Amino acid sequence: MTAVMVAQSILLITGALFFCIGSLGLLRFPDTYSRIHALTKADNLGLGLIVLALILNVDSFALALKLLLIWALVMLASALSGHLVAWQANNLSLAVRQPNESEQQVSSAHE
Amino acid sequence: MMGVAISMPVILPLLGAIISLLLPARYNNRIAFIFMLGLVVNAAWLLMHFSAQGPYQQVMGGWTLPLGIALRIDALAIIFSMMSCVVASVCGFYARFYLRAKQLKQFWPFFWFLLTALNTIWLSADLFNLYVGLELLTFSAVGLVALGQNKHALAAALRYLFAALLGSMGYLLGIALLYAQFGTLSLSQLSDAFSLTTTSAVALGFMFIGLMMKTAVFPLHTWLPPAHGGSLTPVSALLSALVIKASFYILLRLWMALPFGENAFVIGSLMGTLGGTAIIWGSWMALNQTQLKQIVAYSTLAQIGYFMLIFPLFSYSDPTANQYALHGGVLMLLSHALAKAGMFLAAGNLLICTNKTDLTSLAGLSRYRPLNIFAFGLAGVSIMGLPPSGGFNGKWLLVQSALMQSKWVWLIIILLGSLLSAAYIFKVFSYTYLETKAGDKFEQPSAMLEWSALSLSVLSILLGFFSVWVLDLLTLAEMRMP
Amino acid sequence: MNELIDLALIAILLFMALFSVLSAVLFKAIIFFILLGLMLAIIWIRLDAPDIALAEAAIGAGITGILFLNAQAQLPPQHTQAYTVSMCKQSRFWFALIASLSTMIVLTLAVNQPLNPTISINQPIIEQLNASGVEHPITAILLNYRSFDTLLEIAVLVQVAVIALSLRQHEHIKIHSPTLPNPLLHACLTLFLPMLFLVSMYLLWAGASQPGGAFQAGSVLAAAFILFYLAGFNTPINNHELYLKFGWVFGLSVFLMVGILTLFTGDALLAYPLEFAGVSIFFIEFAVTLSIGWILFSLFVLSQNISLSNVKENNE
């Protein structure tokens, strides 16, 4: 178990943990707008940590740059999609709910 | 020269499809005529070459087996190619006069893709290529059924799609297992290398079940009556006459190419049982129908049962009985294609006359529209198996084969099936012979429609006189006896 | 350790499939189906088939998912309701269950045998690779050894597009195209579209020596077209039937023309002359990529506008 492998393990586990937290947020947050926060921010941070873990394993600089490019593109795409979902939710006048309101959610996707 | 001729059956329809998609609708008919002529000429050339020099195989792309895909000409391929050329020409001709302009414009691309798929299946000697041909065939047929554009046609097309895809999946699964076991996809190499192990038995099981599902063998047949009975007339004719034969052809090829040894008896009897049940049940259901096209559709189900009877009548001990079974089966396939297409086209004409689909509205047609009744009747003679017709010759050979091997069960089933088919054909006639007080209030279908239906029916009767030519082709080449 | 990963993947796959089939709400079933596609892509990687993984992720999960969601959005509201547990009372459910279980058991029996293929096909594939014009065995098989299959498969794709066109009840394509007049989307498009085109062409080019090829490139191109269309840029090209058909037929025609050419100069269909094998393959692949992208895009476009007529019928 070299130091690199230990560092990789920590990064991978933390990354997976962030993904789990993001999904937990998706399930538990009360309305669409707050769920977007969980999905875009937490998940992308998790992806970044995983990409860092992979980069530690890679020989060529070009390949490392490509992996970072993947992370950058996913962040761009999720920023865009998050904005689009929120924009459409706003157009459909979806309510902003508080955490302790009733659980009668109508997900925006059902329109 | 041979390389061109052997690829033409696939290239010409593909070109036809591309051209019919791009050119304006008014050129479609001329293009259709030219290309169909080219196909018939090419098939005739291949026939002459086969009669002179025997079977021929060529690998596409200039490679060798097992890398490439082989196309081959032998007796079965030639017979089916000619059959599909003739039947498709007449059905296309009928469609040209039957369909409205908008429907006709959508019809031609499907027609050409259907022909491409059929020719691929007849000529190909490669398992996966046959699968691709089946896929193309399925989509062409589904598109043709959906041309009807009403609710029932769409529902029937969707159900057909599901059943056909399920069958294709079974076939593909079998291919994967066979390839893993034997390392080649070529039928000729496979027939040398084949041995019946667990893997290959499972593979063949999946393939056979998948192909039987696509051929609508009882009990996997429920998709057929709505699809064939509910689609436009030329489409029903094409489907019943040609599309059903394609998957059965692959079944026959597999059966003849792969040596089963002693297990052939068990497998054959199983398939024969399904076939016999199909004959009895299909004929019984046809007898109970009230719509003309549904009777013809269920009649197809019954006739498919006759094809399945080839398998139990295959014999390892008696080569003559074996040969009779094969010849009888091929004659039944051929005569069914001609007769069923003729029957559907004639039924379509009768429905034009009355503008209703019910049997009771057929009253008086025997008096006022005798040409169409005659066409229907001639086709019915072949379906019933009355002499002289192709259907009679086929059944006679099957009966001979059963007698030689003392397999009484199949004999009884064949005779019973003939009786039942006579029953439902005569039932239709009983309605048409009724007198109607209204007089000649029927529409007159165009002469082209009437004569194309009649020509196919007459061909099925003529097949009875000229069966010798077909049978000579079959005995010309070395048919592989397992 | 590898077996654990394999078992976990299989278990997830089975659960995705079960959830998709038994799901109460149609939308959930579609989402699980998309996830099933992604899981399959991972399994393909596990089985050492990156080409298929690319195609599965792009087409099986991506395009198919889009088409399903598109169809679901246009169904009238009562169709999206629950199947409920009464499905368990239907006999076809039990037929399907028994058939699936017996298939699984039989397949397990079949693949448990040690396999010694009598004819080894890997040897000739590698040996003839130099003569085939490309360095990647999958591309060599698809576009040289078994190019006849690929020709017919392209014909199947064109056929599917023709069916989509003929299923439309209306004579001409009057498309009420969707618009998302979001300034951020339009701004991002200037970045995404060139990148998608670049990736598509790179996949096509790389297919000669690495996993990639015409189908994968075509699906990325289709994604670019669909994105462009969804943002509201509706050109006359995707409104007129003839332009649509021309795009579909382009790849098939080029493939067929090359095949016929070789027929008259060589002795078999699609037997590329040795020096030109690589060039012919690239030429064919390029045309096929454009056509595949156009066909997949057309499938999406042609499934629009049905909601318009549905809405009309519901209001009348």
Side-chain angles (χ1 to χ4, degrees), chain B residues 313 318-330 393-394 396-402 404-405 471:
Chain B
L313 291 176
D318 191 353
T320 321
N322 204 356
Q323 193 187 48
Y324 279 7
L326 184 64
H327 288 187
V330 170
N393 289 3
W396 180 249
L397 284 171
L398 284 178
V399 161
Q400 289 280 62
S401 181
M404 277 188 200
Q405 302 172 53
L471 296 182

Side-chain angles (χ1 to χ4, degrees), chain B residues 61 113 126 129 140 149 179, chain C residues 110 121 146 149 159 166 171 269:
Chain B
F113 281 125
D126 181 282
N129 204 26
S140 315
Q149 298 279 1
Y179 179 65
Chain C
I121 203 174
R146 301 185 65 97
D149 271 345
Q159 171 77 328
S166 89
E171 173 63 19
L269 183 68

Side-chain angles (χ1 to χ4, degrees), chain B residues 18 21 58 61 63 66 102 105 110 113 120 126 128-129 132 139-140 149 179 181-183 198-199 202 206, chain C residues 103 106 110 113 117-119 121 128 144 146 148-149 152 159 163 166 169 171 241 245 249 267 269-271:
Chain B
I18 295 175
L21 277 175
Q58 185 182 50
W63 302 100
K102 194 172 82 152
K105 184 170 158 199
F110 291 128
F113 281 125
T120 308
D126 181 282
F128 188 73
N129 204 26
V132 178
F139 284 115
S140 315
Q149 298 279 1
Y179 179 65
Q181 174 91 41
F182 299 110
T198 315
T199 313
V202 168
F206 278 122
Chain C
T103 307
V106 161
Q113 317 251 308
T118 42
I119 302 169
I121 203 174
Q128 304 273 14
N144 204 338
R146 301 185 65 97
F148 189 56
D149 271 345
L152 291 171
Q159 171 77 328
I163 294 181
S166 89
Q169 309 273 351
E171 173 63 19
E241 216 174 81
K245 286 183 189 171
V249 156
D267 55 342
L269 183 68
L270 287 169

